[in-house]
Amino acid sequence: MHRTLADDLARLPDLLQSARDLAARELAGVAERPVVRLDEAPDREPLPAEGAGGEAALTRFQERWAPGLSGSTGPRYLGFVTGGATPASVTGDWLTSAYDQNVSGAAGSWAAALERETVDWLRELFGLGEAHSGAFVTGATVSNTVGLAVAREWLGERLGVDVSRDGAAALGPVDVLSGSPHSSVTKALSVLGIGRNRLRHVPVLGGNREAVDVARLDAALAELKGRPAIVVANAGTVNTVDFDDLRAIAALKERHDFWLHVDAAFGGFAALSPPTPISSTDSTRPTRSASTSTSGSTCPTTRPCSSPAAATSRSGCSTTRPRTWARRPATRTSSTSRPRTPGACAPSPPGSPSWPTAAPGTARSSSATWPSRTGSARASPPSRGCGCRRRSG
């Protein structure tokens, strides 16, 4: 073993203590830290001939780079929708790195079972049905990408194409309709081989709204003459937290063939917020859809589901709903009798509340966040939120 690595291993408790002390000092002083640093970063230096070891690297980081990092963990940072790192989330990230588990399968470790349990908790938190499943990914953009990849597979089924074998080109031109899609949607379409130019912007409502005009969407779908399409709806837009009328959009499936993808990154957690105006009118027909959550919080391993869950630093998770789907009751008995609101991918059963259809700014996602911001299973249960995130990358 190289002597530098051997020394680091021998001094690992001291190295972790030094990192802990640095992190504690930075968090304690975040109120004094500049919200952003607009000055130039240090000039790039050549690769060192040898590694300096953990302690020296930490010292160099503290002196050369730490002073130039933004105060994004503090309350004065409003540049992006970045969820804060709670003590539980920081602890969870540390333990995730320490355990360093491979969750590509269930063999040899309980890590995959931990991840599945956390997905189940998220499903219960948002009152979603047992048929919902999910996976943790690296953030909001990847969450949208995964959800739209499932939509692409659905299109293949409808058109008799095996996309995984024949490629996206075998689908022919794909129609993707949305009123105010986030930039990550166009990125996802590019990565998936569908193409950025296949996104068709549908007019939105007047009065500075960002919600899609459902009548115009209806007309746009009618123009496709039965050809299957993808509709990207929003539960909270990036600029004004406006909500599409998800129930009305889902009702269009009575007449048109489309996959409904709901991006709940910014507004998903509004479903759990008592002050949020929730409409009780609903329809009963289930729809097939996938949705992502990648905003104002973080998932226990990073942005959820057909309802919300995303994470700081663009962690996130994505959940899809299979063909048959039964929604869990909107209200469940608990020690607090706290009502739960189901997700918005499809119409709710009679008597259950639906996602809000609110004017811009009236719905906000919860400030809570889940415990981690990278891509594998987190070691601690949810203690943060999953609906607001920085939409970078």
Side-chain angles (χ1 to χ4, degrees), residues 33 64 71 101 120 158 162 167 177 193 228 269 277 287-288 319:
R33 172 184 289 278
R64 188 163 189 255
Q101 297 292 288
D120 287 346
R158 303 295 288 170
D162 188 338
L177 291 76
F269 258 74
T287 63
R288 196 170 172 200
T319 65

Side-chain angles (χ1 to χ4, degrees), residues 194-214:
I194 294 174
R196 294 171 181 260
N197 290 341
R198 297 309 304 170
L199 178 63
R200 176 178 172 184
H201 288 265
V202 180
V204 297
L205 298 175
N208 294 320
R209 296 289 302 277
E210 288 189 308
V212 69
D213 185 327
V214 178

Side-chain angles (χ1 to χ4, degrees), residues 15-388:
L15 285 174
L16 293 177
Q17 183 63 45
S18 296
R20 177 263 178 206
D21 293 343
L22 173 59
R25 286 196 301 271
E26 292 296 326
L27 291 175
V30 70
E32 287 73 45
R33 172 184 289 278
V35 175
V36 295
R37 289 296 299 263
L38 302 178
D39 49 332
E40 292 292 328
D43 293 334
R44 297 181 64 178
E45 293 187 352
L47 176 70
E50 292 186 351
E55 191 70 47
L58 182 61
T59 299
R60 186 164 184 74
F61 165 76
Q62 183 178 357
E63 295 174 350
R64 188 163 189 255
W65 295 107
L69 301 184
S70 71
S72 58
T73 56
R76 296 174 294 121
Y77 182 87
L78 303 174
F80 294 93
V81 188
T82 305
T86 65
S89 70
V90 173
T91 303
D93 272 349
W94 191 333
L95 291 176
T96 296
S97 298
Y99 281 101
D100 195 21
Q101 297 292 288
N102 185 331
V103 293
S104 60
S109 172
W110 292 357
L114 168 61
E115 183 171 296
R116 287 194 297 270
E117 179 178 82
T118 309
V119 170
D120 287 346
W121 286 3
L122 290 171
R123 187 183 67 234
E124 291 186 33
L125 179 66
F126 292 100
L128 303 176
E130 294 289 344
H132 280 80
S133 62
F136 291 111
V137 295
T138 54
T141 293
V142 176
S143 186
N144 266 333
T145 302
V146 170
L148 289 170
V150 177
R152 185 186 63 179
E153 295 299 310
W154 173 84
L155 279 174
E157 290 181 5
R158 303 295 288 170
L159 298 173
V161 172
D162 188 338
V163 178
S164 64
R165 293 179 180 273
D166 301 328
L171 293 171
V174 174
D175 297 290
V176 183
L177 291 76
S178 185
S180 300
H182 188 267
S183 60
S184 61
V185 172
T186 55
K187 293 178 184 178
L189 296 178
S190 174
V191 169
L192 295 171
I194 294 174
R196 294 171 181 260
N197 290 341
R198 297 309 304 170
L199 178 63
R200 176 178 172 184
H201 288 265
V202 180
V204 297
L205 298 175
N208 294 320
R209 296 289 302 277
E210 288 189 308
V212 69
D213 185 327
V214 178
R216 302 290 291 274
L217 176 61
D218 187 8
L221 289 167
E223 292 175 4
L224 300 180
K225 301 185 183 305
R227 189 165 69 250
I230 299 172
V231 172
V232 177
N234 286 297
T237 57
V238 61
N239 294 316
T240 63
V241 201
D242 205 351
F243 280 69
D244 286 332
D245 188 340
L246 301 173
R247 186 174 59 253
I249 294 173
L252 294 179
K253 290 184 69 67
E254 296 282 349
R255 300 188 299 278
H256 308 294
D257 191 16
F258 63 89
W259 176 278
L260 175 57
H261 173 97
V262 178
D263 184 347
F266 287 106
F269 258 74
L272 305 183
S273 176
T276 302
I278 301 293
S279 170
S280 60
T281 306
D282 48 41
S283 59
T284 60
R285 190 166 185 83
T287 63
R288 196 170 172 200
S289 63
S291 67
T292 65
S293 298
T294 40
S295 121
S297 344
T298 59
C299 299
T301 106
T302 101
R303 231 178 184 262
C305 347
S306 139
S307 281
T312 344
S313 287
R314 309 216 16 78
S315 320
C317 57
S318 174
T319 65
T320 58
R321 184 171 62 232
R323 286 186 184 82
T324 55
W325 177 69
R327 187 183 292 276
R328 178 182 296 270
T331 304
R332 298 187 299 280
T333 302
S334 66
S335 58
T336 59
S337 298
R338 180 182 179 184
R340 302 289 193 183
T341 304
C345 291
S348 309
S352 64
S354 64
W355 284 84
T357 304
T362 59
R364 292 283 189 271
S365 59
S366 167
S367 60
T369 47
W370 300 107
S372 46
R373 302 182 301 286
T374 57
S376 45
R378 291 314 183 225
S380 26
S383 61
R384 320 213 270 160
C386 222
C388 302

